[in-house]
Amino acid sequence: MIEQKRCLDSACFSYLVIGFLALISILEGEFMNVKRKPIAVILIRSGSRGLVDKNIKPLAGKPLVFYTIEVALASKLFSDIWVSSDSLAYLELCRQAYPEICCVHRPKELALSTTSSLETLRDFLQPFEEGQVFVNLQVTSPLREVEHLIESYQLYCQSGADHLISCVKADKSRSLFLQLGDSPFIRPPQVSKHYARQKEPVYYYPNGSIWISRKNLYLRDETFYTDKTVAYEMPKLYSYDIDDALDFEVVETLLQHHHLGESKR
């Protein structure tokens, strides 16, 4: 009986040790996930239907992509800042101006006008650890500031969300939107005859500036839009997205008038 009791005690002790070590391992993993810095991902492709070389087109005297690189560097938030492009010339331009960043060349088939962000990010994220947090920064949103990066990352960490998207308040109610068909006549919107803007619900839409997720969660969901996505609201002034020549003129005026986008190096 005594010998049997010793064996049981020994077995219980072994299980306790194994459980304790497993708990330490889990806690260490969580600690590493918290302590590991995020990476910044900046995707630029050379083809553009609207504007030739849009991503490196001078904006107030500086290539468009430089605004995003500079704010990412100034934030000191990232372990690494990655620029991915199908153009070696684009990458060399960025590397020469900012030797501290990382550049990676991607194949042309991942830089087509029909290529989705999912396809590009899935390829880019392959070598990284499953728990790596990444912040996807859209080049065509050059007006974001350092505080937007820091605040959005803090919100992502504190909220327990799987994903984060930046958004801006819509200045028009969705109920006013029209659809036009082949006929010259409109399809009337589903709006009350007693429409009053103040009574309408408030809508928001993604401004394309900041997208945050963790590798394993993003690849699992294959989207940033889930019921565990948190929204980071940005003011309209910082939410302009450049798509065409007129957008360039508008953003250039904002840069000069509001002293935005000045060098942060």
Side-chain angles (χ1 to χ4, degrees):
M1 289 290 293
I2 295 174
E3 188 63 32
Q4 187 178 21
K5 185 176 183 303
R6 285 176 179 170
C7 290
L8 287 173
D9 288 344
S10 178
C12 288
F13 180 73
S14 297
Y15 283 125
L16 284 171
V17 170
I18 292 171
F20 181 68
L21 292 175
L23 178 60
I24 290 176
S25 178
I26 292 170
L27 291 175
E28 283 181 344
E30 292 300 317
F31 178 76
M32 288 304 294
N33 281 338
V34 172
K35 297 300 288 183
R36 184 190 298 124
K37 278 190 167 188
I39 59 171
V41 184
I42 302 170
L43 305 174
I44 52 175
R45 67 184 187 91
S46 57
S48 177
R49 288 183 174 181
L51 287 171
V52 177
D53 289 327
K54 176 176 67 176
N55 290 319
I56 62 167
K57 181 178 171 65
L59 175 68
K62 183 165 60 179
L64 178 60
V65 65
F66 284 12
Y67 289 88
T68 298
I69 293 173
E70 286 188 2
V71 76
L73 286 169
S75 73
K76 302 188 185 305
L77 186 64
F78 306 105
S79 60
D80 292 298
I81 296 167
W82 289 85
V83 176
S84 167
S85 180
D86 61 306
S87 168
L88 291 173
Y90 281 20
L91 294 176
E92 186 59 25
L93 176 71
C94 295
R95 188 184 291 112
Q96 287 289 334
Y98 309 97
E100 60 268 56
I101 68 172
C102 306
C103 294
V104 60
H105 184 249
R106 69 178 188 266
K108 283 286 184 184
E109 56 267 26
L110 288 175
L112 305 174
S113 60
T114 55
T115 305
S116 67
S117 296
L118 171 61
E119 293 172 277
T120 308
L121 286 171
R122 181 191 286 131
D123 177 74
F124 171 81
L125 291 169
Q126 280 185 11
F128 294 93
E129 295 180 11
E130 291 299 300
Q132 179 64 60
V133 175
F134 66 95
V135 182
N136 185 31
L137 300 174
Q138 189 169 282
V139 172
T140 51
S141 301
L143 300 182
R144 72 176 78 75
E145 297 285 346
V146 167
E147 57 263 33
H148 300 139
L149 296 181
I150 294 173
E151 289 173 1
S152 61
Y153 181 64
Q154 288 175 341
L155 174 61
Y156 176 72
C157 293
Q158 294 167 4
S159 66
D162 288 350
H163 318 284
L164 176 145
I165 61 171
S166 59
C167 64
V168 62
K169 187 183 296 183
D171 56 5
K172 297 289 185 296
S173 171
R174 192 170 62 178
S175 60
L176 292 175
F177 288 7
L178 303 174
Q179 283 187 311
L180 302 178
D182 296 332
S183 164
F185 299 101
I186 68 168
R187 297 176 186 175
Q190 302 299 311
V191 60
S192 168
K193 293 179 180 179
H194 305 289
Y195 169 83
R197 181 175 59 85
Q198 292 79 4
K199 296 180 181 179
E200 286 291 299
V202 178
Y203 292 100
Y204 297 83
Y205 62 91
N207 65 1
S209 185
I210 303 168
W211 313 76
I212 307 178
S213 188
R214 200 180 297 272
K215 174 187 173 179
N216 57 333
L217 301 178
Y218 178 72
L219 296 183
R220 178 197 68 192
D221 295 336
E222 298 188 334
T223 180
F224 288 98
Y225 299 99
T226 72
D227 55 7
K228 288 208 68 178
T229 298
V230 67
Y232 171 70
E233 184 183 355
M234 291 174 61
K236 182 178 179 179
L237 175 61
Y238 304 98
S239 296
Y240 283 87
D241 180 46
I242 293 178
D243 188 52
D244 55 31
L246 179 58
D247 293 333
F248 256 90
E249 291 181 28
V250 171
V251 172
E252 197 160 52
T253 299
L254 291 173
L255 283 168
Q256 295 167 348
H257 184 72
H258 295 276
H259 305 289
L260 303 174
E262 294 177 350
S263 180
K264 300 173 176 61
R265 299 189 74 184

